[in-house]
Amino acid sequence: MSTKTEHQAHPGPEPLDVHDPRLSRFDIVREGARRDDIEIVHYEEQVVPGSKAERRLTRTVASFFLLTGLAATAFLAIYIWWPWEYEPGTGGDKYYTPLLGLTLGVALLGIGFGILTWGKKLLPKEVSIQDRHENDPNAPESRKITGETMLYLADELGVKRRPLLGISLLAGLAPVGAVAAAPLVGGLISDPHKNNQMFTTGFAPADGHKIRLVREDGRPIRPADISAGGQLTVFPGIEHGVSNRHADSPTLLIHLRESDAQVSREANQRVGHGNYMWGNYAAFSKICTHAGCPASLYEQQTNRLLCPCHQSQFLITDNARPVFGPASRRLPQLPIEVDDEGFFVARSDYTETVGPDFWERP
């Protein structure tokens, strides 16, 4: 590597006047490289300007960018108009997420292959070597050289003499920009809260009637069906209440021992849930507030409920407060009572949102 002392001993050719209007842009770029102690060892065009090879490669790159535009436009069309709400059976909603992934993947691949082909096949090849040097980047000539170098790089992209590349690049990237913005404006396209589905479960009273708690086979539950220290998974006693249509509704009904029930009642009083329990019975959502897994492993000796997915633990006698693991919010408690026929019913729907946190949760 050359040193400053060596350059003083061998100063080389006199510097050119970069403001000379007779100099081409490449002459200025070459002069700037020389002043930065850069030797251009090899420089050549990969294709002859105006040749069949150039036109063929231009069409290939343009095809990739246009494919990107078509795929991104398809993503937007699917995002806006394709049915996305879950319906039982094999409806079109099952293809919503796969189609979004497919179209977005094709769009990104189109951009990648287009840029790679452009860079590998159309741009000139250059090999340069630079020695260590010192220079004032704020000098007027340095600014002139830097500006001309940037403009020369733009020229080397060949967009001016290959307008198809510029048009296809714009046509391809504009829809990609819209794809990036689509999730941000999605709520303006379709109201995500219609039917209030984020804040209600199958236990919401229907026509003024309170919803019974039932087993998986649909049978209602009496207090005598669960022994002290026991627990049972229950569902809303409505049509399709045990199906995925009400996947946010599975609830753990627990019969606490007398001493534990007293501790739990006191904890409920502290948070304003004084009437949420019925006797020694309490009901909590089984949907873990961390990632939505079923928190179903109940340890009656410690009154902890464990989620097996990521090991979150909730203390039932303290309003199902998280005491271990990644969950940061307690399990919502379902207010319960017993109806005139002696069966458990939900006094109301959950008063807190069920499941993992989301940005609109109060």
Side-chain angles (χ1 to χ4, degrees), residues 40-114:
I40 301 178
V41 179
H42 178 76
Y43 187 92
E44 67 172 341
E45 295 279 357
Q46 296 200 72
V47 292
V48 178
S51 64
K52 290 184 178 179
E54 184 188 43
R55 290 194 293 271
R56 182 177 65 255
L57 288 170
T58 298
R59 290 192 296 268
T60 300
V61 174
S63 298
F64 281 127
F65 289 148
L66 291 175
L67 176 64
T68 292
L70 290 174
T73 302
F75 177 98
L76 292 172
I78 294 168
Y79 183 83
I80 296 172
W81 289 294
W82 195 276
W84 58 271
E85 293 177 310
Y86 173 80
E87 293 182 1
T90 56
D93 59 294
K94 308 301 184 296
Y95 301 100
Y96 179 72
T97 300
L99 285 175
L100 288 182
L102 176 64
T103 51
L104 183 58
V106 170
L108 296 179
L109 285 174
I111 293 175
F113 281 119

Side-chain angles (χ1 to χ4, degrees), residues 105-285:
V106 170
L108 296 179
L109 285 174
I111 293 175
F113 281 119
I115 292 175
L116 284 174
T117 305
W118 195 343
K120 292 286 188 181
K121 301 295 184 182
L122 283 175
L123 294 183
K125 291 183 178 180
E126 178 182 320
V127 178
S128 301
I129 299 175
Q130 182 176 17
D131 292 332
R132 183 178 63 191
H133 66 281
E134 295 179 5
N135 197 6
D136 179 10
N138 295 317
E141 289 192 341
S142 296
R143 294 198 296 269
K144 172 69 174 178
I145 291 170
T146 301
E148 292 297 321
T149 301
M150 298 298 293
L151 293 173
Y152 181 75
L153 290 175
D155 289 343
E156 286 298 281
L157 291 176
V159 175
K160 287 186 178 180
R161 71 172 186 268
R162 304 162 185 153
L164 180 59
L165 287 180
I167 296 172
S168 62
L169 184 61
L170 180 62
L173 294 186
V176 172
V179 165
L184 301 178
V185 299
L188 303 177
I189 298 172
S190 179
D191 183 6
H193 301 135
K194 59 184 177 183
N195 302 323
N196 206 26
Q197 72 268 28
M198 296 295 291
F199 300 95
T200 60
T201 72
F203 289 106
D207 300 326
H209 298 289
K210 297 177 180 178
I211 306 301
R212 281 182 174 176
L213 280 58
V214 300
R215 295 177 176 83
E216 191 172 4
D217 59 8
R219 291 180 297 150
I221 302 165
R222 298 178 184 272
D225 294 337
I226 308 176
S227 58
Q231 49 84 25
L232 183 67
T233 299
V234 297
F235 306 88
I238 58 175
E239 186 177 6
H240 305 295
V242 187
S243 70
N244 284 338
R245 184 174 298 183
H246 294 282
D248 57 354
S249 300
T251 299
L252 196 67
L253 179 61
I254 303 172
H255 186 179
L256 296 166
R257 293 183 291 266
E258 181 63 39
S259 58
D260 296 329
Q262 181 59 36
V263 174
S264 185
R265 278 190 290 270
E266 293 173 357
N268 277 9
Q269 291 287 347
R270 290 195 297 269
V271 297
H273 292 176
N275 61 347
Y276 277 40
M277 292 178 61
W278 184 88
N280 294 343
Y281 295 82
F284 293 91
S285 171

Side-chain angles (χ1 to χ4, degrees), residues 316-345:
I316 293 301
T317 53
D318 190 8
N319 299 294
R321 175 176 58 88
V323 293
F324 183 82
S328 60
R329 185 168 66 92
R330 67 188 183 190
L331 295 173
Q333 185 173 2
L334 182 68
I336 57 173
E337 61 183 13
V338 171
D339 63 14
D340 295 338
E341 297 182 35
F343 295 107
F344 277 113
V345 295

Side-chain angles (χ1 to χ4, degrees), residues 24-34 40 145 148-150 152-153:
S24 68
R25 182 166 288 158
F26 183 70
D27 290 335
I28 297 175
V29 171
R30 188 191 298 275
E31 172 64 13
R34 190 189 66 78
I40 301 178
I145 291 170
E148 292 297 321
T149 301
M150 298 298 293
Y152 181 75
L153 290 175

